[in-house]
Amino acid sequence: MEVKNLVVRFYTQEGIVYAVNDISYALKEGETLGIVGESGSGKSVHALSIMGLIPTPPGKIESGSVTFQGRDLLKLSKEEMRLVRGAEIAMVFQDPMTSLNPVLTIGTQITEALKLHLGMNNTQARNRATELIDMVGIPDARRRLDAYPHQFSGGMRQRVMIAMALSCNPKLLIADEPTTALDVTIQAQIIELVKDLKRELGMAIVWITHDLGVVAGIADTIQVMYAGQIVERGPVETVFKDTRSAYTLGLLNSLPRMDQRGGGRLTQIEGAPPDMRRQPVGDPFAPRNPYRTERCLVEQPPLKPVDGGHPEHLAAAWYDLREVRKNKSQGEAV
């Protein structure tokens, strides 16, 4: 999949919300891309745009393209997009209780997609649904097909959502914060399940989250977003070890560390997120950035390869974070 110059706006009574601002990236076959950033950074909105699920009005995709398997998804009709959604690209949402229909059994909800996209009859669809429920680790699968969503725990409901998403063997799975509402034990189980299914089915994954620890455990590539823009992107290990964006550095520094003894306060990013009703001038992170330059305040930096780093490591910054941090530490030492 290739996203090019995607721009999404919301036209509200309080003004225009500049939700996604000219983002571009490519996703390879079989790759897992982790997208991180705080609330309001455009992570979910851009995913909903790919799926054709932006509410219109007030939302509007102003420009850009999303090329998947040689087709621009943004140019497909609603009927054509319905055939793509679920069959070729599937999505797992954050809260399974609101995503599942409370008055329909789990079996009914899973078999619906199988009948629509694969043309199965009732018997075939029910047998396949049983296989899927068993595959995601829900015991007594055939009997549980007749249960309703409220009869499952939160972790089990999320497993059902994953089973539904994988029912038609999609080439791309978009997971929008699928473990946020779950406790850490269940979260780890869901992540291991998705990793196992990825190896088995060979699909690409876009995993949207706030949790950098989750990204470290599941993703090949990390993409950091702020104010509707991509501020850094590259192989996970490279970005974590050779961070080039001050915002990414702030996110990493705000994590609690096991190797820090004696407690103390957590580091925080100073200031507040930008008001997305105002079109950013310059680097949107500049007001909160201790390493900013004068140019950061007036000119938006492009996303480009970093100097002397991994060829796939990109950052949007007018400063060389590695150099300014080294100079600052030398000054403090003196």
Side-chain angles (χ1 to χ4, degrees):
M1 180 178 72
E2 186 174 15
V3 177
K4 270 191 175 181
N5 306 117
L6 182 64
V7 176
V8 184
R9 303 279 185 259
F10 286 88
Y11 294 86
T12 71
Q13 292 181 340
E14 297 180 0
I16 300 173
V17 177
Y18 298 88
V20 177
N21 300 306
D22 197 21
I23 69 170
S24 300
Y25 68 89
L27 181 71
K28 300 171 188 171
E29 189 172 341
E31 179 183 10
T32 299
L33 170 65
I35 300 181
V36 299
E38 59 198 85
S39 296
S41 61
K43 307 185 302 296
S44 297
V45 169
H46 114 274
L48 292 171
S49 301
I50 291 170
M51 296 294 289
L53 295 174
I54 288 289
T56 306
K60 184 181 179 184
I61 299 173
E62 294 284 1
S63 60
S65 63
V66 179
T67 306
F68 179 77
Q69 304 271 294
R71 293 169 296 171
D72 185 354
L73 300 181
L74 303 186
K75 292 182 178 177
L76 299 183
S77 67
K78 288 185 178 180
E79 188 56 39
E80 288 172 326
M81 195 61 206
R82 279 186 69 225
L83 297 177
V84 172
R85 198 185 298 128
E88 297 180 56
I89 306 177
M91 190 164 183
V92 178
F93 296 92
Q94 182 172 350
D95 186 356
M97 199 63 220
T98 57
S99 301
L100 292 167
N101 190 323
V103 300
L104 296 178
T105 64
I106 294 301
T108 300
Q109 297 185 62
I110 296 177
T111 55
E112 180 183 17
L114 296 168
K115 293 173 185 176
L116 173 66
H117 294 297
L118 302 182
M120 292 185 177
N121 60 34
N122 286 332
T123 303
Q124 292 170 328
R126 191 168 176 85
N127 289 338
R128 173 62 175 156
T130 303
E131 291 175 10
L132 289 161
I133 288 293
D134 185 60
M135 183 173 68
V136 297
I138 296 177
D140 198 7
R142 187 166 291 277
R143 185 179 65 83
R144 298 306 297 272
L145 286 179
D146 296 319
Y148 290 87
H150 71 272
Q151 295 174 292
F152 289 79
S153 67
M156 288 295 185
R157 285 196 294 266
Q158 199 59 286
R159 288 170 185 265
V160 169
M161 288 296 299
I162 292 170
M164 290 175 65
L166 300 180
S167 60
C168 299
N169 295 326
K171 298 178 179 68
L172 170 61
L173 174 68
I174 300 175
D176 186 6
E177 302 191 39
T179 59
T180 299
L182 307 176
D183 65 60
V184 289
T185 306
I186 304 300
Q187 177 174 288
Q189 292 174 3
I190 295 293
I191 290 168
E192 284 305 310
L193 168 65
V194 172
K195 287 166 73 173
D196 290 343
L197 292 172
K198 179 198 169 182
R199 282 192 291 268
E200 186 179 326
L201 302 174
M203 61 188 172
I205 298 173
V206 174
W207 191 284
I208 299 169
T209 182
H210 287 93
D211 194 331
L212 290 165
V214 170
V215 170
I218 198 172
D220 304 309
T221 305
I222 184 172
Q223 185 164 290
V224 184
M225 292 188 67
Y226 184 80
Q229 300 174 19
I230 301 170
V231 297
E232 190 162 9
R233 174 186 166 88
V236 170
E237 191 172 338
T238 300
V239 171
F240 279 26
K241 287 184 176 179
D242 185 23
T243 309
R244 298 299 186 95
S245 164
Y247 178 61
T248 310
L249 181 65
L251 291 179
L252 290 169
N253 286 342
S254 65
L255 293 173
R257 295 172 61 99
M258 296 294 290
D259 58 355
Q260 287 180 338
R261 296 182 179 179
R265 292 177 63 86
L266 290 174
T267 304
Q268 66 182 34
I269 300 175
E270 297 294 333
D275 183 351
M276 297 303 289
R277 292 170 298 178
R278 296 179 181 174
Q279 193 162 15
V281 176
D283 184 343
F285 187 61
R288 308 171 71 185
N289 184 1
Y291 306 108
R292 67 178 176 266
T293 66
E294 289 298 320
R295 193 176 185 183
C296 295
L297 298 169
V298 295
E299 191 176 347
Q300 183 178 320
L303 188 69
K304 61 180 183 180
V306 302
D307 294 330
H310 192 285
E312 294 182 5
H313 189 183
L314 312 173
W318 291 125
Y319 48 86
D320 186 330
L321 186 61
R322 202 166 48 171
E323 285 298 314
V324 294
R325 290 183 72 202
K326 185 169 71 174
N327 294 338
K328 185 178 180 182
S329 63
Q330 288 173 349
E332 289 173 351
V334 171

